[in-house]
Amino acid sequence: MEHLVSSWYNDRSLPESYILPPEKRPGKLTVPLANNIPVIDLEGHDQTDIIQQIFEASQEFGFFQVINHGVPSNLMDEAMSVFKEFHALSGKDKAIETSKDPNKSCFIYTSSANYATEKFHLWRDALIHRCNPLEKYIQFWPEKPPRYREVVGPYTAEVRKLGFRILEFISQGLGISLGGLVGNQTLLVNHYPPCPDPSLTLGLGKHMDPVFINILLQSDVYGLQVFKDEEWIVVEPIPNAFVVNIGFPLQIISNGKLKGAEHRVVTNSNVARTTASYFLSPSNETLIEPANTLVDASHPALYKSLPYKDFLIKYVAASTDSKALEEALSTTV
Ligand SMILES: O=C(O)CCC(=O)C(=O)O
Ligand SMILES: [Fe+2]
């Protein structure tokens, strides 16, 4: 675990292997707050209104935030505390706590998971584990910090409910049913320590998520940005909100109606940032293809059809280059 950024970053300048080529550097670190992504109140409106707002945000931005979403705020705070405590453990403890499953349903990595082969590294450590069914996977989760399982069990159960509820709203907006297509449900706890030079590196490079949706707890530290109309816009931290984003498989299934938004994470030099992504992914056999009901003579299928497991192979091959992925899957090139 000697490579984990949190094991060595203190008092060091940025090692060369973290310096991005000029065209990949973050550029302006302060980006405009105007034109920010929509904040949707899940309590304050009738269902039709909520569906409409989610649909419009998913079309225009591929991103929105939700408030009054039903996940208790004390559970969100406690989960964030244990996530931070986990990343504050020694490298040795983190290695022990994430090696309980020989099938690797829980593990820790740094940068992009291709540490050994990548051209440059990213300023991030990540804990990842499966969440559902809970009885199957919880035995492989960390036992340090001592409250990890006790807090993260109920937290993931609540976020899962919220995720399915949002997927149902999206289903209704599209007129198709997505809930039955969900396979893996995964928690990814990202940690970005304070960085000696945020202008030269990134926490996460520009990417689209290869999942249906991500329900993100982003804490109170800025860092997440969305690429829209050739500009980076900030996803402002809002107390007790979740950030939701649409992944590329939903862009395909919706035949381009919804947007699998590109996003990235910038670092900062003052404080550590910890975030937790809860991914709802399609099952391996799900055909990732434009839904029949969304294809007609005036809306031809924009994408080829392939099972999710093969989609993932193409996703990995494109190595976060969304244009290459679009080209690999498009019917028109
Ligand atoms: O840490 C963040 O703000 C975003 C994380 C993210 O994009 C991801 O986990 O895919
Ligand atoms: Fe992401």
Coordinates of all heavy atoms in Angstrom, one line a residue, residues 197-245:
D197 N 0.3 20.9 -5.6 CA 0.1 21.8 -6.8 C -1.1 21.4 -7.6 O -1.0 20.7 -8.6 CB 1.4 21.9 -7.7 CG 1.3 23.0 -8.6 OD1 0.1 23.5 -8.9 OD2 2.3 23.5 -9.1
P198 N -2.3 21.9 -7.2 CA -3.5 21.5 -7.9 C -3.6 21.9 -9.4 O -4.4 21.4 -10.1 CB -4.6 22.3 -7.1 CG -4.0 22.5 -5.8 CD -2.6 22.7 -6.0
S199 N -2.7 22.8 -9.8 CA -2.8 23.3 -11.2 C -2.1 22.2 -12.2 O -2.3 22.3 -13.4 CB -2.1 24.6 -11.4 OG -0.7 24.4 -11.2
L200 N -1.4 21.3 -11.6 CA -0.6 20.3 -12.5 C -1.2 18.9 -12.5 O -0.8 18.1 -13.3 CB 0.8 20.2 -12.0 CG 1.6 21.5 -12.0 CD1 3.0 21.2 -11.4 CD2 1.7 22.0 -13.4
T201 N -2.2 18.7 -11.6 CA -2.7 17.3 -11.6 C -4.2 17.3 -11.4 O -4.8 18.3 -11.3 CB -2.0 16.6 -10.4 OG1 -2.2 15.2 -10.5 CG2 -2.5 17.1 -9.0
L202 N -4.8 16.1 -11.3 CA -6.2 16.0 -11.1 C -6.5 14.8 -10.1 O -5.7 13.9 -10.0 CB -7.0 15.6 -12.4 CG -7.2 16.8 -13.4 CD1 -7.6 16.2 -14.8 CD2 -8.2 17.8 -12.9
G203 N -7.7 14.9 -9.5 CA -8.1 13.8 -8.6 C -8.7 12.7 -9.5 O -8.4 11.5 -9.2
L204 N -9.5 13.1 -10.4 CA -10.0 12.2 -11.4 C -10.1 12.9 -12.8 O -10.5 14.1 -12.8 CB -11.5 11.8 -11.0 CG -11.7 10.5 -10.3 CD1 -13.2 10.3 -10.0 CD2 -11.2 9.3 -11.1
G205 N -9.6 12.3 -13.8 CA -9.6 12.9 -15.1 C -11.0 12.9 -15.7 O -11.9 12.2 -15.2
K206 N -11.2 13.6 -16.8 CA -12.5 13.7 -17.5 C -13.0 12.3 -17.8 O -12.3 11.5 -18.5 CB -12.3 14.5 -18.8 CG -13.5 14.9 -19.6 CD -13.0 15.7 -20.7 CE -14.0 16.1 -21.7 NZ -13.5 16.8 -22.9
H207 N -14.2 12.0 -17.4 CA -14.7 10.7 -17.7 C -16.3 10.7 -17.6 O -16.9 11.6 -17.1 CB -14.2 9.6 -16.7 CG -14.7 9.8 -15.3 ND1 -14.3 10.8 -14.4 CD2 -15.7 9.1 -14.6 CE1 -15.0 10.7 -13.3 NE2 -15.8 9.7 -13.3
M208 N -16.9 9.6 -18.2 CA -18.3 9.4 -18.0 C -18.4 8.1 -17.2 O -17.5 7.2 -17.3 CB -19.0 9.1 -19.3 CG -19.3 10.3 -20.1 SD -20.5 10.0 -21.4 CE -19.5 9.4 -22.7
D209 N -19.4 7.9 -16.3 CA -19.5 6.7 -15.5 C -20.1 5.6 -16.4 O -21.1 5.8 -17.0 CB -20.3 7.0 -14.3 CG -19.6 7.9 -13.3 OD1 -18.4 8.1 -13.4 OD2 -20.3 8.5 -12.5
P210 N -19.6 4.4 -16.2 CA -20.1 3.2 -17.0 C -21.3 2.5 -16.3 O -21.3 1.3 -16.3 CB -18.9 2.3 -17.1 CG -18.2 2.5 -15.8 CD -18.4 4.0 -15.5
V211 N -22.2 3.3 -15.8 CA -23.3 2.7 -14.9 C -24.6 3.4 -15.3 O -24.6 4.3 -16.1 CB -23.0 3.0 -13.4 CG1 -21.7 2.4 -13.0 CG2 -23.0 4.5 -13.1
F212 N -25.7 2.9 -14.7 CA -27.0 3.6 -15.0 C -26.9 5.0 -14.3 O -27.0 6.0 -15.0 CB -28.2 2.9 -14.4 CG -28.7 1.8 -15.2 CD1 -29.2 0.6 -14.6 CD2 -28.8 1.9 -16.6 CE1 -29.7 -0.4 -15.3 CE2 -29.3 0.8 -17.3 CZ -29.8 -0.3 -16.7
I213 N -26.8 5.0 -13.0 CA -26.7 6.3 -12.3 C -25.7 6.2 -11.1 O -25.4 5.1 -10.6 CB -28.0 6.8 -11.8 CG1 -28.8 5.8 -10.9 CG2 -28.9 7.3 -12.9 CD1 -30.0 6.3 -10.2
N214 N -25.2 7.3 -10.7 CA -24.4 7.4 -9.5 C -25.1 8.4 -8.5 O -25.5 9.5 -8.9 CB -23.0 8.0 -9.9 CG -22.1 8.1 -8.6 OD1 -22.4 7.5 -7.6 ND2 -21.0 8.9 -8.8
I215 N -25.2 7.9 -7.3 CA -25.7 8.8 -6.2 C -24.5 9.2 -5.3 O -24.0 8.3 -4.6 CB -26.7 8.0 -5.3 CG1 -27.7 7.2 -6.2 CG2 -27.4 9.0 -4.4 CD1 -28.7 8.1 -6.9
L216 N -24.1 10.4 -5.4 CA -22.8 10.8 -4.8 C -23.0 11.7 -3.6 O -23.7 12.7 -3.6 CB -22.0 11.6 -5.9 CG -20.7 12.2 -5.4 CD1 -19.6 11.1 -5.4 CD2 -20.2 13.4 -6.2
L217 N -22.3 11.3 -2.5 CA -22.2 12.1 -1.3 C -20.9 12.9 -1.5 O -19.8 12.2 -1.5 CB -22.2 11.2 -0.1 CG -22.1 11.9 1.3 CD1 -23.2 12.8 1.6 CD2 -21.9 10.8 2.4
Q218 N -20.9 14.2 -1.6 CA -19.7 14.9 -1.9 C -19.1 15.7 -0.8 O -18.1 16.4 -1.0 CB -19.8 15.7 -3.2 CG -20.5 17.0 -3.2 CD -20.0 18.0 -4.2 OE1 -18.9 17.9 -4.7 NE2 -20.8 19.0 -4.5
S219 N -19.7 15.7 0.4 CA -19.3 16.5 1.5 C -19.2 18.0 1.2 O -19.9 18.4 0.2 CB -17.9 16.0 2.0 OG -16.8 16.5 1.2
D220 N -18.5 18.8 2.0 CA -18.6 20.2 1.8 C -17.4 20.8 1.1 O -17.1 22.0 1.2 CB -18.8 20.9 3.2 CG -17.7 20.4 4.2 OD1 -16.9 19.5 3.8 OD2 -17.7 20.9 5.4
V221 N -16.6 20.0 0.5 CA -15.4 20.5 -0.2 C -15.6 20.5 -1.7 O -15.9 19.5 -2.3 CB -14.1 19.7 0.2 CG1 -12.9 20.3 -0.4 CG2 -14.0 19.6 1.7
Y222 N -15.3 21.7 -2.3 CA -15.4 21.8 -3.8 C -14.4 20.9 -4.5 O -13.3 20.6 -3.9 CB -15.1 23.2 -4.2 CG -16.2 24.2 -4.0 CD1 -16.3 24.9 -2.8 CD2 -17.1 24.4 -5.0 CE1 -17.4 25.8 -2.6 CE2 -18.2 25.3 -4.8 CZ -18.3 26.0 -3.6 OH -19.3 26.9 -3.4
G223 N -14.7 20.4 -5.7 CA -13.8 19.6 -6.4 C -14.4 19.0 -7.7 O -13.7 18.8 -8.7
L224 N -15.7 18.7 -7.6 CA -16.4 18.1 -8.8 C -16.8 19.1 -9.8 O -17.3 20.2 -9.5 CB -17.6 17.3 -8.3 CG -18.5 16.6 -9.3 CD1 -17.7 15.6 -10.1 CD2 -19.7 16.0 -8.7
Q225 N -16.4 18.8 -11.1 CA -16.8 19.7 -12.2 C -17.4 18.9 -13.3 O -17.0 17.8 -13.6 CB -15.5 20.5 -12.7 CG -14.9 21.3 -11.6 CD -13.6 22.0 -12.2 OE1 -13.1 21.7 -13.2 NE2 -13.1 23.0 -11.4
V226 N -18.4 19.6 -14.0 CA -19.1 18.9 -15.1 C -18.7 19.7 -16.4 O -18.7 20.9 -16.4 CB -20.6 19.0 -14.9 CG1 -21.3 18.4 -16.1 CG2 -21.0 18.3 -13.6
F227 N -18.5 18.9 -17.5 CA -18.2 19.5 -18.8 C -19.4 19.8 -19.6 O -20.1 18.8 -19.9 CB -17.2 18.6 -19.5 CG -16.5 19.3 -20.7 CD1 -15.7 20.4 -20.4 CD2 -16.6 18.8 -21.9 CE1 -15.0 21.0 -21.5 CE2 -15.9 19.4 -23.0 CZ -15.1 20.5 -22.8
K228 N -19.8 21.0 -19.8 CA -21.0 21.3 -20.5 C -20.7 22.5 -21.5 O -20.2 23.5 -21.1 CB -22.1 21.7 -19.5 CG -23.4 22.1 -20.2 CD -24.5 22.3 -19.3 CE -25.9 22.4 -20.0 NZ -26.0 23.5 -20.8
D229 N -21.1 22.3 -22.7 CA -20.9 23.4 -23.7 C -19.5 23.8 -23.7 O -19.2 25.0 -23.7 CB -21.9 24.6 -23.5 CG -23.3 24.1 -23.5 OD1 -23.6 23.1 -24.2 OD2 -24.2 24.8 -22.8
E230 N -18.6 22.9 -23.7 CA -17.1 23.1 -23.8 C -16.6 23.9 -22.7 O -15.5 24.6 -22.8 CB -16.8 23.9 -25.2 CG -17.2 23.2 -26.4 CD -16.6 21.8 -26.5 OE1 -15.4 21.7 -26.4 OE2 -17.4 20.8 -26.7
E231 N -17.3 23.9 -21.5 CA -16.8 24.6 -20.3 C -17.0 23.7 -19.1 O -17.9 22.9 -19.1 CB -17.7 25.8 -20.1 CG -17.1 27.1 -20.6 CD -17.8 28.3 -20.0 OE1 -19.0 28.2 -19.5 OE2 -17.2 29.3 -19.9
W232 N -16.1 24.0 -18.1 CA -16.2 23.3 -16.9 C -17.1 24.0 -15.9 O -16.9 25.2 -15.7 CB -14.8 23.0 -16.3 CG -14.1 22.0 -17.0 CD1 -13.1 22.2 -17.9 CD2 -14.3 20.6 -17.0 NE1 -12.6 21.0 -18.4 CE2 -13.4 20.0 -17.9 CE3 -15.2 19.7 -16.3 CZ2 -13.3 18.6 -18.1 CZ3 -15.1 18.4 -16.5 CH2 -14.2 17.8 -17.4
I233 N -18.1 23.4 -15.4 CA -18.9 24.1 -14.3 C -18.8 23.3 -13.0 O -18.7 22.1 -13.0 CB -20.4 24.3 -14.8 CG1 -21.1 23.0 -15.2 CG2 -20.5 25.3 -15.9 CD1 -22.5 23.2 -15.5
V234 N -18.9 24.1 -12.0 CA -18.7 23.5 -10.6 C -20.0 22.9 -10.1 O -21.1 23.4 -10.4 CB -18.3 24.7 -9.7 CG1 -18.5 24.2 -8.2 CG2 -16.9 25.1 -10.0
V235 N -19.9 21.7 -9.4 CA -21.0 21.2 -8.7 C -20.9 21.6 -7.3 O -20.1 21.1 -6.5 CB -21.1 19.7 -8.8 CG1 -22.4 19.1 -8.1 CG2 -21.1 19.2 -10.3
E236 N -21.7 22.6 -6.9 CA -21.6 23.3 -5.6 C -22.0 22.3 -4.5 O -23.0 21.7 -4.6 CB -22.5 24.5 -5.6 CG -22.2 25.5 -4.5 CD -23.0 26.7 -4.7 OE1 -23.8 26.8 -5.6 OE2 -22.9 27.6 -3.8
P237 N -21.1 22.2 -3.5 CA -21.5 21.4 -2.3 C -22.7 22.0 -1.6 O -22.7 23.2 -1.3 CB -20.3 21.4 -1.4 CG -19.2 21.8 -2.2 CD -19.8 22.8 -3.3
I238 N -23.8 21.3 -1.4 CA -25.0 21.8 -0.7 C -25.2 20.8 0.5 O -25.2 19.6 0.3 CB -26.2 21.7 -1.6 CG1 -26.0 22.6 -2.9 CG2 -27.5 22.1 -0.9 CD1 -27.2 22.5 -3.9
P239 N -25.4 21.4 1.7 CA -25.5 20.5 2.9 C -26.7 19.5 2.7 O -27.7 19.9 2.2 CB -25.8 21.5 4.0 CG -25.3 22.8 3.5 CD -25.4 22.8 2.0
N240 N -26.4 18.3 3.0 CA -27.5 17.2 3.0 C -28.0 16.8 1.6 O -29.0 16.1 1.5 CB -28.7 17.6 3.9 CG -28.2 17.8 5.3 OD1 -27.3 17.1 5.8 ND2 -28.8 18.7 6.0
A241 N -27.4 17.3 0.6 CA -27.8 17.0 -0.8 C -27.1 15.8 -1.3 O -26.0 15.5 -0.8 CB -27.7 18.1 -1.7
F242 N -27.6 15.0 -2.2 CA -26.9 14.1 -3.0 C -26.8 14.6 -4.5 O -27.7 15.2 -5.0 CB -27.6 12.7 -3.1 CG -27.4 11.9 -1.9 CD1 -28.5 11.8 -0.9 CD2 -26.3 11.2 -1.6 CE1 -28.3 11.0 0.2 CE2 -26.1 10.4 -0.5 CZ -27.1 10.3 0.4
V243 N -25.6 14.3 -5.1 CA -25.4 14.7 -6.5 C -25.8 13.4 -7.3 O -25.3 12.3 -6.9 CB -24.0 15.1 -6.8 CG1 -23.7 15.3 -8.2 CG2 -23.6 16.2 -5.9
V244 N -26.6 13.5 -8.3 CA -26.9 12.4 -9.1 C -26.4 12.6 -10.6 O -26.5 13.7 -11.1 CB -28.4 12.2 -9.2 CG1 -28.8 10.9 -10.0 CG2 -29.0 12.1 -7.8
N245 N -25.7 11.6 -11.1 CA -25.4 11.8 -12.5 C -25.8 10.5 -13.4 O -25.8 9.4 -12.9 CB -23.9 12.2 -12.7 CG -22.9 11.1 -12.4 OD1 -22.6 10.9 -11.3 ND2 -22.5 10.4 -13.5

